Coordinates of all heavy atoms in Angstrom, one line a residue:
M175 N 57.9 -73.1 -214.5 CA 56.5 -72.6 -214.3 C 56.5 -71.1 -214.6 O 56.9 -70.2 -213.9 CB 56.3 -72.7 -212.8 CG 56.0 -74.2 -212.4 SD 55.2 -74.3 -210.8 CE 56.6 -74.5 -209.7
T176 N 55.9 -70.9 -215.8 CA 55.8 -69.5 -216.3 C 54.5 -68.9 -215.9 O 54.4 -67.7 -215.8 CB 55.9 -69.6 -217.8 OG1 54.8 -70.4 -218.3 CG2 57.3 -70.1 -218.2
N177 N 53.5 -69.7 -215.6 CA 52.2 -69.1 -215.3 C 51.5 -70.0 -214.2 O 51.6 -71.1 -214.3 CB 51.4 -69.1 -216.6 CG 50.1 -68.3 -216.4 OD1 49.6 -68.2 -215.3 ND2 49.5 -67.9 -217.6
Q178 N 50.9 -69.3 -213.3 CA 50.2 -70.0 -212.2 C 49.2 -71.0 -212.8 O 49.0 -72.1 -212.3 CB 49.6 -69.1 -211.3 CG 48.9 -69.8 -210.1 CD 48.3 -68.9 -209.1 OE1 48.3 -67.6 -209.3 NE2 47.7 -69.4 -208.1
H179 N 48.5 -70.6 -213.9 CA 47.5 -71.5 -214.5 C 48.1 -72.8 -215.1 O 47.5 -73.7 -215.3 CB 46.7 -70.7 -215.6 CG 46.0 -69.5 -215.0 ND1 45.0 -69.7 -214.1 CD2 46.2 -68.2 -215.2 CE1 44.5 -68.5 -213.8 NE2 45.2 -67.6 -214.5
D180 N 49.5 -72.7 -215.5 CA 50.1 -73.9 -216.1 C 50.5 -74.8 -214.9 O 50.6 -76.0 -215.1 CB 51.4 -73.4 -216.7 CG 51.2 -72.6 -218.0 OD1 50.0 -72.7 -218.5 OD2 52.1 -71.9 -218.4
S181 N 50.6 -74.3 -213.7 CA 51.1 -75.1 -212.6 C 50.0 -75.9 -211.9 O 50.2 -77.0 -211.5 CB 51.6 -74.2 -211.5 OG 52.6 -73.4 -212.0
F182 N 48.7 -75.4 -212.0 CA 47.6 -76.1 -211.3 C 46.6 -76.4 -212.3 O 46.2 -75.7 -213.2 CB 47.1 -75.2 -210.2 CG 48.0 -75.0 -209.1 CD1 48.7 -73.8 -208.9 CD2 48.2 -76.0 -208.1 CE1 49.5 -73.6 -207.9 CE2 49.0 -75.8 -207.1 CZ 49.7 -74.6 -206.9
P183 N 46.1 -77.6 -212.2 CA 45.0 -78.0 -213.1 C 43.7 -77.1 -212.9 O 43.5 -76.6 -211.8 CB 44.7 -79.5 -212.8 CG 45.3 -79.7 -211.5 CD 46.4 -78.7 -211.2
N184 N 42.9 -76.9 -213.9 CA 41.7 -76.1 -213.7 C 40.7 -76.9 -213.0 O 39.9 -77.6 -213.6 CB 41.3 -75.6 -215.1 CG 40.1 -74.7 -215.0 OD1 39.7 -74.4 -213.9 ND2 39.7 -74.2 -216.1
L185 N 40.6 -76.8 -211.7 CA 39.7 -77.6 -210.9 C 38.3 -77.1 -211.0 O 37.3 -77.7 -210.6 CB 40.2 -77.6 -209.4 CG 41.5 -78.3 -209.2 CD1 41.9 -78.2 -207.7 CD2 41.6 -79.7 -209.7
M186 N 38.1 -75.8 -211.4 CA 36.8 -75.2 -211.5 C 36.1 -75.5 -212.8 O 34.9 -75.2 -213.0 CB 36.9 -73.7 -211.3 CG 37.5 -73.3 -210.0 SD 36.7 -74.1 -208.5 CE 35.2 -73.2 -208.6
H187 N 36.8 -76.1 -213.8 CA 36.2 -76.5 -215.1 C 35.2 -77.6 -214.8 O 35.4 -78.6 -214.2 CB 37.3 -77.0 -216.0 CG 36.8 -77.5 -217.3 ND1 36.3 -76.6 -218.2 CD2 36.7 -78.7 -217.8 CE1 35.9 -77.3 -219.3 NE2 36.1 -78.6 -219.0
E188 N 34.0 -77.3 -215.3 CA 32.9 -78.3 -215.2 C 32.9 -79.2 -216.4 O 32.8 -78.8 -217.5 CB 31.6 -77.6 -215.0 CG 31.5 -76.8 -213.7 CD 30.1 -76.3 -213.5 OE1 29.2 -76.8 -214.1 OE2 30.0 -75.3 -212.8
D189 N 33.1 -80.5 -216.2 CA 33.0 -81.5 -217.2 C 31.5 -81.9 -217.3 O 30.8 -81.9 -216.4 CB 33.8 -82.7 -216.9 CG 35.3 -82.4 -217.0 OD1 35.7 -81.8 -218.0 OD2 36.1 -82.9 -216.2
S190 N 31.1 -82.2 -218.6 CA 29.8 -82.7 -218.7 C 29.9 -84.2 -219.2 O 30.8 -84.6 -219.8 CB 29.0 -81.9 -219.7 OG 29.7 -81.9 -221.0
F191 N 28.8 -84.9 -218.9 CA 28.8 -86.3 -219.2 C 27.6 -86.6 -220.2 O 26.6 -85.9 -220.1 CB 28.6 -87.2 -218.0 CG 29.7 -87.0 -217.0 CD1 29.4 -86.4 -215.8 CD2 31.0 -87.4 -217.2 CE1 30.4 -86.1 -214.8 CE2 32.0 -87.2 -216.2 CZ 31.6 -86.6 -215.1
E192 N 27.9 -87.5 -221.1 CA 26.8 -87.8 -222.0 C 25.6 -88.5 -221.2 O 25.9 -89.3 -220.3 CB 27.3 -88.8 -223.1 CG 28.3 -88.2 -224.0 CD 28.9 -89.3 -224.9 OE1 28.3 -90.4 -225.1 OE2 29.9 -89.0 -225.5
V193 N 24.5 -88.2 -221.6 CA 23.3 -88.9 -221.0 C 23.1 -90.2 -221.8 O 23.0 -90.1 -223.1 CB 22.1 -88.0 -221.0 CG1 20.9 -88.8 -220.4 CG2 22.4 -86.8 -220.1
V194 N 23.1 -91.3 -221.2 CA 22.8 -92.6 -221.9 C 21.6 -93.2 -221.3 O 21.0 -92.7 -220.3 CB 24.0 -93.5 -221.8 CG1 25.2 -93.0 -222.6 CG2 24.4 -93.8 -220.4
M195 N 21.2 -94.3 -221.7 CA 20.0 -95.0 -221.2 C 20.2 -95.2 -219.7 O 21.3 -95.6 -219.2 CB 19.9 -96.4 -221.8 CG 18.7 -97.1 -221.4 SD 17.4 -96.7 -222.6 CE 16.4 -98.1 -222.5
R196 N 19.3 -94.7 -218.9 CA 19.3 -94.8 -217.4 C 20.5 -94.0 -216.8 O 21.1 -94.5 -215.9 CB 19.3 -96.3 -217.0 CG 18.2 -97.0 -217.4 CD 18.1 -98.3 -216.8 NE 17.0 -99.1 -217.3 CZ 16.5 -100.1 -216.7 NH1 17.0 -100.5 -215.6 NH2 15.4 -100.7 -217.2
G197 N 20.8 -92.9 -217.2 CA 21.8 -92.0 -216.5 C 23.0 -91.7 -217.4 O 22.9 -91.6 -218.6
Y198 N 24.1 -91.5 -216.7 CA 25.3 -91.0 -217.4 C 26.1 -92.2 -217.8 O 26.0 -93.4 -217.3 CB 26.1 -90.1 -216.4 CG 25.5 -88.8 -216.1 CD1 24.9 -88.6 -214.9 CD2 25.5 -87.8 -217.0 CE1 24.3 -87.4 -214.6 CE2 24.9 -86.6 -216.7 CZ 24.3 -86.4 -215.5 OH 23.7 -85.2 -215.2
S199 N 27.1 -92.0 -218.7 CA 28.0 -93.0 -219.1 C 28.9 -93.4 -217.9 O 29.7 -92.5 -217.5 CB 28.8 -92.5 -220.3 OG 29.9 -93.4 -220.5
R200 N 28.9 -94.6 -217.5 CA 29.7 -95.0 -216.4 C 31.2 -94.9 -216.8 O 32.0 -94.5 -215.9 CB 29.4 -96.5 -216.0 CG 28.1 -96.6 -215.4 CD 27.8 -98.1 -215.0 NE 26.5 -98.3 -214.5 CZ 26.2 -98.9 -213.4 NH1 27.1 -99.5 -212.7 NH2 24.9 -99.0 -213.0
R201 N 31.6 -95.1 -218.0 CA 33.0 -95.0 -218.4 C 33.4 -93.6 -218.2 O 34.5 -93.3 -217.7 CB 33.1 -95.4 -219.8 CG 34.6 -95.3 -220.4 CD 34.6 -95.4 -221.9 NE 33.7 -94.6 -222.6 CZ 33.8 -93.3 -222.8 NH1 34.8 -92.6 -222.4 NH2 32.8 -92.7 -223.5
Q202 N 32.6 -92.6 -218.7 CA 33.0 -91.2 -218.5 C 33.1 -90.8 -217.1 O 34.0 -90.1 -216.7 CB 32.0 -90.3 -219.3 CG 32.2 -90.2 -220.8 CD 31.3 -89.2 -221.4 OE1 30.1 -89.0 -220.9 NE2 31.8 -88.5 -222.4
V203 N 32.2 -91.2 -216.3 CA 32.2 -90.8 -214.9 C 33.4 -91.5 -214.2 O 34.2 -90.8 -213.5 CB 30.9 -91.3 -214.1 CG1 31.0 -91.1 -212.7 CG2 29.7 -90.6 -214.7
H204 N 33.7 -92.7 -214.5 CA 34.9 -93.4 -214.0 C 36.2 -92.7 -214.4 O 37.1 -92.4 -213.6 CB 34.9 -94.9 -214.4 CG 36.1 -95.6 -213.9 ND1 36.2 -96.1 -212.6 CD2 37.2 -96.0 -214.6 CE1 37.3 -96.7 -212.5 NE2 38.0 -96.7 -213.6
D205 N 36.3 -92.3 -215.7 CA 37.5 -91.6 -216.2 C 37.6 -90.2 -215.5 O 38.7 -89.9 -215.1 CB 37.4 -91.4 -217.7 CG 37.5 -92.7 -218.5 OD1 38.0 -93.7 -217.9 OD2 37.2 -92.7 -219.7
Y206 N 36.5 -89.6 -215.4 CA 36.5 -88.3 -214.7 C 37.0 -88.4 -213.2 O 37.9 -87.6 -212.8 CB 35.1 -87.6 -214.7 CG 35.1 -86.3 -213.9 CD1 35.5 -85.1 -214.5 CD2 34.6 -86.3 -212.7 CE1 35.5 -84.0 -213.8 CE2 34.5 -85.1 -211.9 CZ 35.0 -83.9 -212.5 OH 34.9 -82.8 -211.8
M207 N 36.5 -89.4 -212.6 CA 36.9 -89.6 -211.2 C 38.4 -90.0 -211.1 O 39.1 -89.5 -210.2 CB 36.0 -90.7 -210.5 CG 34.6 -90.3 -210.4 SD 34.3 -88.8 -209.4 CE 34.9 -89.3 -207.8
D208 N 38.9 -90.8 -212.0 CA 40.3 -91.1 -212.0 C 41.1 -89.9 -212.2 O 42.2 -89.7 -211.5 CB 40.6 -92.1 -213.1 CG 40.2 -93.5 -212.7 OD1 40.0 -93.8 -211.5 OD2 40.2 -94.4 -213.6
R209 N 40.8 -89.0 -213.2 CA 41.5 -87.8 -213.4 C 41.5 -86.9 -212.2 O 42.5 -86.3 -211.8 CB 41.0 -87.0 -214.6 CG 41.3 -87.6 -215.9 CD 41.0 -86.6 -217.1 NE 39.7 -86.0 -217.0 CZ 38.5 -86.5 -217.5 NH1 38.5 -87.7 -218.0 NH2 37.4 -85.8 -217.3
T210 N 40.3 -86.8 -211.6 CA 40.2 -85.9 -210.4 C 41.1 -86.4 -209.2 O 41.7 -85.7 -208.5 CB 38.7 -85.8 -210.0 OG1 38.0 -85.3 -211.1 CG2 38.6 -84.9 -208.7
R211 N 41.1 -87.8 -209.0 CA 41.9 -88.3 -208.0 C 43.3 -88.1 -208.2 O 44.1 -87.8 -207.3 CB 41.6 -89.8 -207.9 CG 40.3 -90.2 -207.2 CD 40.2 -91.7 -207.0 NE 38.9 -92.1 -206.6 CZ 37.9 -92.6 -207.4 NH1 38.3 -93.0 -208.6 NH2 36.7 -92.9 -206.9
H212 N 43.8 -88.2 -209.4 CA 45.2 -88.0 -209.8 C 45.6 -86.5 -209.5 O 46.7 -86.2 -209.0 CB 45.5 -88.4 -211.2 CG 45.5 -89.8 -211.5 ND1 46.4 -90.7 -210.9 CD2 44.7 -90.6 -212.2 CE1 46.1 -91.9 -211.3 NE2 45.1 -91.9 -212.0
Q213 N 44.7 -85.6 -209.9 CA 44.9 -84.2 -209.7 C 45.0 -83.9 -208.2 O 45.9 -83.2 -207.7 CB 43.8 -83.4 -210.3 CG 43.8 -83.3 -211.8 CD 42.6 -82.5 -212.4 OE1 41.6 -82.3 -211.7 NE2 42.7 -82.2 -213.6
I214 N 44.1 -84.5 -207.4 CA 44.1 -84.3 -205.9 C 45.4 -84.8 -205.3 O 46.1 -84.2 -204.5 CB 42.9 -84.9 -205.3 CG1 41.7 -84.1 -205.6 CG2 43.1 -85.0 -203.8 CD1 40.4 -84.8 -205.3
R215 N 45.8 -86.0 -205.8 CA 47.1 -86.6 -205.3 C 48.3 -85.8 -205.6 O 49.1 -85.5 -204.8 CB 47.2 -88.0 -205.8 CG 48.3 -88.9 -205.2 CD 48.4 -90.3 -205.7 NE 47.1 -91.0 -205.6 CZ 46.4 -91.5 -206.7 NH1 46.9 -91.5 -207.9 NH2 45.2 -92.1 -206.5
D216 N 48.3 -85.3 -206.9 CA 49.4 -84.4 -207.3 C 49.5 -83.1 -206.4 O 50.5 -82.7 -206.0 CB 49.2 -84.0 -208.8 CG 50.3 -83.1 -209.3 OD1 51.5 -83.5 -209.1 OD2 50.0 -82.1 -209.8
L217 N 48.3 -82.5 -206.2 CA 48.3 -81.3 -205.4 C 48.7 -81.6 -204.0 O 49.4 -80.7 -203.3 CB 46.9 -80.7 -205.5 CG 46.5 -80.1 -206.8 CD1 45.1 -79.6 -206.9 CD2 47.4 -78.9 -207.2
E218 N 48.3 -82.7 -203.4 CA 48.7 -83.0 -202.1 C 50.2 -83.2 -201.9 O 50.8 -82.8 -201.0 CB 48.0 -84.3 -201.6 CG 46.5 -84.1 -201.3 CD 45.7 -85.4 -201.0 OE1 46.2 -86.5 -201.4 OE2 44.7 -85.3 -200.3
E219 N 50.8 -83.9 -203.0 CA 52.2 -84.1 -203.0 C 53.0 -82.7 -203.1 O 53.9 -82.5 -202.4 CB 52.6 -85.0 -204.1 CG 52.2 -86.5 -203.9 CD 52.4 -87.3 -205.1 OE1 52.9 -86.8 -206.2 OE2 52.1 -88.5 -205.1
R220 N 52.5 -81.9 -203.9 CA 53.1 -80.6 -204.1 C 53.0 -79.8 -202.8 O 53.9 -79.0 -202.4 CB 52.4 -79.9 -205.2 CG 52.8 -80.5 -206.6 CD 51.9 -80.1 -207.7 NE 52.4 -78.8 -208.3 CZ 51.7 -78.3 -209.3 NH1 50.6 -78.7 -209.8 NH2 52.2 -77.1 -209.8
L221 N 51.8 -79.8 -202.1 CA 51.7 -79.1 -200.9 C 52.6 -79.7 -199.8 O 53.2 -78.9 -199.1 CB 50.2 -79.3 -200.4 CG 49.8 -78.6 -199.1 CD1 50.1 -77.1 -199.1 CD2 48.4 -78.9 -198.7
T222 N 52.7 -81.0 -199.7 CA 53.6 -81.6 -198.8 C 55.1 -81.1 -199.0 O 55.8 -80.7 -198.1 CB 53.6 -83.1 -198.8 OG1 52.3 -83.5 -198.6 CG2 54.5 -83.8 -197.9
R223 N 55.5 -81.1 -200.3 CA 56.9 -80.6 -200.6 C 57.0 -79.1 -200.3 O 58.0 -78.7 -199.7 CB 57.2 -80.8 -202.1 CG 57.5 -82.2 -202.4 CD 58.1 -82.4 -203.8 NE 57.2 -81.8 -204.9 CZ 56.3 -82.5 -205.6 NH1 56.1 -83.7 -205.3 NH2 55.6 -81.9 -206.5
A224 N 56.0 -78.3 -200.5 CA 56.1 -76.9 -200.2 C 56.2 -76.6 -198.7 O 56.9 -75.8 -198.3 CB 54.8 -76.2 -200.8
I225 N 55.4 -77.4 -197.9 CA 55.5 -77.3 -196.5 C 56.8 -77.6 -196.0 O 57.4 -77.0 -195.1 CB 54.3 -78.1 -195.8 CG1 53.0 -77.5 -196.1 CG2 54.6 -78.2 -194.4 CD1 51.8 -78.3 -195.7
A226 N 57.4 -78.7 -196.5 CA 58.8 -79.2 -196.1 C 59.8 -78.1 -196.4 O 60.7 -77.8 -195.6 CB 59.1 -80.5 -196.8
Q227 N 59.6 -77.5 -197.6 CA 60.6 -76.4 -198.0 C 60.4 -75.2 -197.1 O 61.4 -74.6 -196.7 CB 60.3 -76.0 -199.4 CG 60.8 -77.0 -200.5 CD 60.4 -76.6 -201.9 OE1 59.5 -75.7 -202.1 NE2 61.0 -77.3 -202.8
I228 N 59.2 -74.9 -196.7 CA 59.0 -73.7 -195.7 C 59.6 -74.1 -194.4 O 60.3 -73.2 -193.8 CB 57.5 -73.5 -195.6 CG1 56.9 -72.8 -196.8 CG2 57.2 -72.6 -194.4 CD1 55.4 -72.8 -196.9
E229 N 59.5 -75.3 -193.9 CA 60.0 -75.7 -192.7 C 61.6 -75.6 -192.7 O 62.2 -75.1 -191.8 CB 59.6 -77.1 -192.2 CG 60.0 -77.4 -190.8 CD 59.5 -76.5 -189.8 OE1 58.4 -75.9 -189.9 OE2 60.2 -76.2 -188.8
Q230 N 62.2 -76.1 -193.8 CA 63.6 -76.0 -194.0 C 64.1 -74.5 -194.0 O 65.1 -74.2 -193.4 CB 64.0 -76.7 -195.3 CG 65.5 -76.6 -195.6 CD 66.3 -77.4 -194.6 OE1 65.9 -78.4 -194.0 NE2 67.5 -77.0 -194.3
S231 N 63.4 -73.7 -194.7 CA 63.7 -72.2 -194.7 C 63.6 -71.6 -193.3 O 64.4 -70.8 -193.0 CB 62.7 -71.5 -195.7 OG 63.0 -72.0 -197.0
R232 N 62.6 -72.0 -192.6 CA 62.4 -71.5 -191.2 C 63.6 -71.9 -190.3 O 64.1 -71.0 -189.5 CB 61.1 -72.0 -190.6 CG 59.9 -71.3 -191.0 CD 58.7 -71.8 -190.3 NE 57.5 -71.1 -190.8 CZ 56.3 -71.6 -190.6 NH1 56.1 -72.7 -190.0 NH2 55.3 -70.9 -191.1
M233 N 64.1 -73.1 -190.5 CA 65.2 -73.6 -189.7 C 66.5 -72.8 -190.1 O 67.3 -72.4 -189.2 CB 65.4 -75.1 -189.9 CG 64.3 -75.9 -189.2 SD 64.5 -77.7 -189.2 CE 65.3 -78.1 -190.7
E234 N 66.7 -72.6 -191.4 CA 67.8 -71.9 -191.9 C 67.8 -70.4 -191.4 O 68.8 -69.8 -191.1 CB 67.9 -71.9 -193.4 CG 68.3 -73.3 -194.0 CD 68.1 -73.4 -195.5 OE1 67.8 -72.4 -196.1 OE2 68.3 -74.5 -196.0
L235 N 66.6 -69.8 -191.4 CA 66.5 -68.5 -190.9 C 66.8 -68.4 -189.4 O 67.5 -67.4 -189.0 CB 65.1 -68.0 -191.2 CG 64.7 -66.5 -190.7 CD1 65.7 -65.5 -191.4 CD2 63.3 -66.2 -191.0
A236 N 66.3 -69.3 -188.6 CA 66.6 -69.3 -187.2 C 68.1 -69.5 -187.0 O 68.7 -68.8 -186.1 CB 65.8 -70.5 -186.5
E237 N 68.8 -70.3 -187.7 CA 70.2 -70.5 -187.6 C 70.9 -69.2 -188.0 O 71.9 -68.8 -187.3 CB 70.7 -71.7 -188.5 CG 72.2 -71.9 -188.5 CD 72.8 -72.3 -187.1 OE1 72.0 -72.7 -186.2 OE2 74.0 -72.1 -186.9
A238 N 70.5 -68.6 -189.1 CA 71.1 -67.3 -189.5 C 71.0 -66.2 -188.4 O 71.9 -65.5 -188.1 CB 70.6 -66.9 -190.8
R239 N 69.8 -66.2 -187.8 CA 69.5 -65.2 -186.8 C 70.4 -65.5 -185.5 O 70.9 -64.5 -184.9 CB 68.0 -65.2 -186.4 CG 67.2 -64.5 -187.4 CD 65.7 -64.5 -187.0 NE 64.9 -63.7 -187.9 CZ 63.6 -63.8 -188.0 NH1 62.9 -64.7 -187.2 NH2 63.0 -63.1 -188.9
R240 N 70.5 -66.8 -185.2 CA 71.4 -67.1 -184.1 C 72.9 -66.7 -184.3 O 73.5 -66.1 -183.5 CB 71.3 -68.6 -183.8 CG 72.1 -69.1 -182.5 CD 72.2 -70.6 -182.5 NE 73.0 -71.1 -183.6 CZ 74.4 -71.0 -183.7 NH1 75.1 -70.3 -182.8 NH2 75.0 -71.6 -184.7
R241 N 73.3 -67.0 -185.6 CA 74.7 -66.6 -185.9 C 74.9 -65.1 -185.8 O 75.9 -64.6 -185.3 CB 75.1 -67.1 -187.2 CG 75.3 -68.6 -187.3 CD 75.7 -69.0 -188.7 NE 75.8 -70.4 -188.8 CZ 76.0 -71.0 -190.0 NH1 76.1 -70.3 -191.1 NH2 76.1 -72.3 -190.0
L242 N 73.9 -64.4 -186.3 CA 73.9 -62.9 -186.3 C 74.0 -62.4 -184.8 O 74.7 -61.5 -184.5 CB 72.7 -62.3 -187.0 CG 72.7 -60.8 -187.2 CD1 73.9 -60.3 -187.9 CD2 71.4 -60.4 -187.9
S243 N 73.2 -63.0 -184.0 CA 73.2 -62.5 -182.6 C 74.4 -62.9 -181.9 O 74.9 -62.2 -180.9 CB 72.0 -63.1 -181.8 OG 72.2 -64.5 -181.6
D244 N 75.2 -63.9 -182.3 CA 76.4 -64.3 -181.7 C 77.6 -63.5 -182.3 O 78.7 -63.4 -181.7 CB 76.7 -65.8 -182.0 CG 75.8 -66.7 -181.2 OD1 75.1 -66.2 -180.3 OD2 75.8 -67.9 -181.5
A245 N 77.4 -62.8 -183.4 CA 78.4 -62.0 -184.0 C 78.7 -60.8 -183.2 O 77.8 -60.2 -182.5 CB 78.0 -61.6 -185.4
P246 N 80.0 -60.3 -183.2 CA 80.3 -59.1 -182.5 C 79.4 -57.9 -183.0 O 79.1 -57.8 -184.2 CB 81.8 -58.8 -182.8 CG 82.2 -60.1 -183.5 CD 81.1 -60.8 -183.9
Q247 N 79.1 -57.0 -182.0 CA 78.2 -55.9 -182.4 C 79.0 -54.6 -182.7 O 78.4 -53.8 -183.4 CB 77.2 -55.7 -181.2 CG 76.3 -56.9 -180.9 CD 75.5 -57.3 -182.1 OE1 74.9 -56.5 -182.8 NE2 75.5 -58.6 -182.3
D248 N 80.2 -54.5 -182.3 CA 81.0 -53.4 -182.6 C 82.5 -53.8 -182.8 O 82.8 -54.9 -182.5 CB 80.8 -52.3 -181.6 CG 81.3 -52.7 -180.2 OD1 82.0 -53.7 -180.1 OD2 80.8 -52.1 -179.2
Y249 N 83.3 -52.8 -183.3 CA 84.7 -53.1 -183.6 C 85.5 -53.4 -182.3 O 86.4 -54.2 -182.3 CB 85.3 -52.0 -184.4 CG 84.8 -51.9 -185.7 CD1 84.0 -50.8 -186.1 CD2 85.0 -52.9 -186.6 CE1 83.5 -50.6 -187.4 CE2 84.5 -52.8 -187.9 CZ 83.7 -51.7 -188.3 OH 83.3 -51.6 -189.6
D250 N 85.2 -52.8 -181.2 CA 85.9 -53.1 -179.9 C 85.7 -54.5 -179.5 O 86.6 -55.3 -179.2 CB 85.4 -52.2 -178.8 CG 85.7 -50.7 -179.0 OD1 86.7 -50.5 -179.7 OD2 85.0 -49.9 -178.5
E251 N 84.4 -55.0 -179.7 CA 84.1 -56.4 -179.3 C 84.8 -57.3 -180.3 O 85.3 -58.4 -179.9 CB 82.6 -56.6 -179.4 CG 82.2 -57.9 -178.7 CD 80.7 -58.0 -178.7 OE1 80.0 -57.0 -178.4 OE2 80.2 -59.0 -178.9
L252 N 84.9 -56.9 -181.6 CA 85.6 -57.7 -182.6 C 87.1 -57.8 -182.2 O 87.6 -59.0 -182.3 CB 85.4 -57.1 -184.0 CG 86.1 -57.8 -185.1 CD1 85.5 -59.2 -185.3 CD2 85.9 -57.0 -186.4
G253 N 87.7 -56.8 -181.8 CA 89.1 -56.8 -181.4 C 89.3 -57.8 -180.2 O 90.3 -58.6 -180.2
Q254 N 88.5 -57.8 -179.2 CA 88.6 -58.7 -178.1 C 88.4 -60.1 -178.6 O 89.2 -61.0 -178.1 CB 87.5 -58.3 -177.1 CG 87.7 -57.0 -176.4 CD 86.6 -56.6 -175.5 OE1 85.6 -57.4 -175.4 NE2 86.6 -55.5 -174.9
R255 N 87.5 -60.4 -179.4 CA 87.3 -61.8 -179.9 C 88.5 -62.3 -180.7 O 88.9 -63.4 -180.6 CB 86.0 -61.9 -180.8 CG 84.8 -61.8 -179.9 CD 83.5 -62.2 -180.7 NE 83.6 -63.6 -181.0 CZ 82.7 -64.2 -181.9 NH1 81.9 -63.5 -182.5 NH2 82.8 -65.5 -182.1
L256 N 89.0 -61.4 -181.5 CA 90.2 -61.8 -182.3 C 91.4 -62.1 -181.4 O 92.1 -63.1 -181.6 CB 90.6 -60.7 -183.3 CG 89.8 -60.6 -184.5 CD1 90.2 -59.4 -185.4 CD2 90.0 -61.9 -185.4
S257 N 91.6 -61.3 -180.4 CA 92.7 -61.6 -179.5 C 92.5 -62.8 -178.7 O 93.4 -63.6 -178.4 CB 93.0 -60.4 -178.5 OG 91.8 -59.9 -178.0
Q258 N 91.2 -63.2 -178.3 CA 90.9 -64.4 -177.7 C 91.2 -65.6 -178.6 O 91.7 -66.6 -178.2 CB 89.4 -64.5 -177.2 CG 89.1 -63.6 -176.0 CD 87.6 -63.6 -175.8 OE1 86.8 -64.2 -176.6 NE2 87.2 -62.9 -174.7
I259 N 90.8 -65.5 -179.9 CA 91.1 -66.5 -180.8 C 92.6 -66.7 -181.0 O 93.0 -67.9 -181.0 CB 90.4 -66.2 -182.2 CG1 88.8 -66.2 -181.9 CG2 90.8 -67.2 -183.2 CD1 88.0 -65.7 -183.2
L260 N 93.3 -65.6 -181.2 CA 94.7 -65.8 -181.4 C 95.4 -66.2 -180.1 O 96.4 -66.9 -180.1 CB 95.3 -64.4 -181.9 CG 94.7 -64.0 -183.3 CD1 95.2 -62.7 -183.7 CD2 95.1 -65.1 -184.4

């Protein structure tokens, strides 16, 4: 992903439809709706993956903070912990 514009489809692009007898071309409208549904589905899947990654990162951060708080705060405490371990 080199550019944000490459990552997400251009949802603001306005497509135009040919005017045919009694309205727009049904085929063009159907194709447009299919493309739009696929784009929405893709974006929803990407959002779900991103949310899961954020949650995983939060859990890892909480674990790292817990380990840090359990770590000795000074060298005297480190010496006591080493003697307890040994």
Side-chain angles (χ1 to χ4, degrees):
M175 288 197 265
T176 59
N177 188 338
Q178 183 179 2
H179 298 294
D180 296 338
S181 304
F182 293 101
N184 186 359
L185 298 178
M186 300 307 290
H187 176 72
E188 292 187 24
D189 288 319
S190 60
F191 303 110
E192 294 174 14
V193 177
V194 294
M195 185 92 156
R196 297 188 183 202
Y198 295 104
S199 165
R200 289 179 186 230
R201 178 194 48 79
Q202 279 188 325
V203 172
H204 180 74
D205 291 346
Y206 175 81
M207 294 303 295
D208 281 344
R209 283 192 317 271
T210 303
R211 283 186 192 105
H212 290 295
Q213 288 174 345
I214 290 170
R215 191 175 309 123
D216 179 55
L217 290 172
E218 287 173 338
E219 290 170 1
R220 292 164 86 181
L221 178 61
T222 299
R223 285 192 305 268
I225 290 170
Q227 289 173 345
I228 288 170
E229 189 57 36
Q230 179 66 30
S231 296
R232 283 183 181 160
M233 291 186 322
E234 290 172 4
L235 177 61
E237 176 64 18
R239 285 181 174 162
R240 185 193 61 76
R241 286 183 187 173
L242 183 61
S243 68
D244 291 347
Q247 300 302 316
D248 59 20
Y249 291 113
D250 294 334
E251 196 176 315
L252 180 62
Q254 292 172 1
R255 285 193 70 192
L256 280 176
S257 42
Q258 287 175 353
I259 293 171
L260 296 174

